[in-house]
Amino acid sequence: MTPQPSARERLLDAADDLAARQGMRATPVDEILGRAQVSPATLYAHFGNKDGLVVEALRRRLSRWEVTWQACVDEADTPEDKVLALFTALARHRSSHTPSRWCVFLGAAAETPSPGSELASTLADDTRLLVDRLESIAQEHLAGVPARVLAHRISLVYTGVLGMILRGSEVDPVIAEGRAIAALAIRSLADGAAPADT
């Protein structure tokens, strides 16, 4: 018999699932408690308050996303495919975890115009991972391509894909289109097109 997850894990699972489906701010604490089958005292003992739970759920989601992305990079065969593995990872992440309406981190940022320091730091970690990882992969695998410029361009494409998912586009086709546009960005820079300042 599989042991039941701990109360802490049930709270994180509930917060992650509900936030992905309907947003952090739209999810009342009572709904999280009911899904996790724990008391308010348990939430406060583990996380202090709802905001603490939200931050920890986001951090766990970011850690899982990083693992998925790295696995897709490792599996890619060509230098270009290693950069484009971002889009493979997006599709895989959505199929292996609760699919969100678009991006839980962008959603949290939109819902919280004045986040506390912990939430602000966690949201910044997500952005930093996106841009810095893309730059690092490009530097390692695409000699001669301006890695920082490419990272910013692909980040814009990726964010556009997430936005189109929110608008109701079919997920697989829009991810494929985003990958194709990102591939054009790689080839443009590889062919020596003058990069704009970023």
Side-chain angles (χ1 to χ4, degrees), residues 101-124:
R101 292 177 59 233
W102 61 320
C103 170
V104 173
F105 292 87
L106 291 174
E111 292 175 330
T112 317
S114 300
S117 61
E118 290 295 311
L119 178 57
S121 175
T122 302
L123 296 176

Side-chain angles (χ1 to χ4, degrees), residues 14 25 38-39 54 69 87 89 93 148 158 160 189 194:
R25 296 301 163 198
V38 301
S39 68
V54 166
W69 186 4
F87 298 93
H93 191 69
R148 193 68 177 178
Y158 175 75
L189 290 172

Side-chain angles (χ1 to χ4, degrees), residues 80-91:
E80 182 177 297
D81 284 344
K82 287 187 180 297
V83 177
L84 298 175
L86 171 67
F87 298 93
T88 308
L90 175 59

Side-chain angles (χ1 to χ4, degrees), residues 9-37 43 50 53-54 57-58 60-61 97-104 107-108 111:
E9 287 301 308
R10 296 201 308 276
L11 280 164
L12 288 168
D13 288 343
D16 185 58
D17 181 67
L18 291 167
R21 296 181 189 280
Q22 60 196 36
M24 293 285 188
R25 296 301 163 198
T27 302
V29 171
D30 288 348
E31 189 172 357
I32 296 172
L33 295 173
R35 175 74 67 89
Q37 297 183 317
L43 185 153
K50 180 186 175 184
L53 171 60
V54 166
L58 287 172
R60 189 181 69 163
R61 193 174 186 93
H97 300 289
T98 302
S100 62
R101 292 177 59 233
W102 61 320
C103 170
V104 173
E111 292 175 330

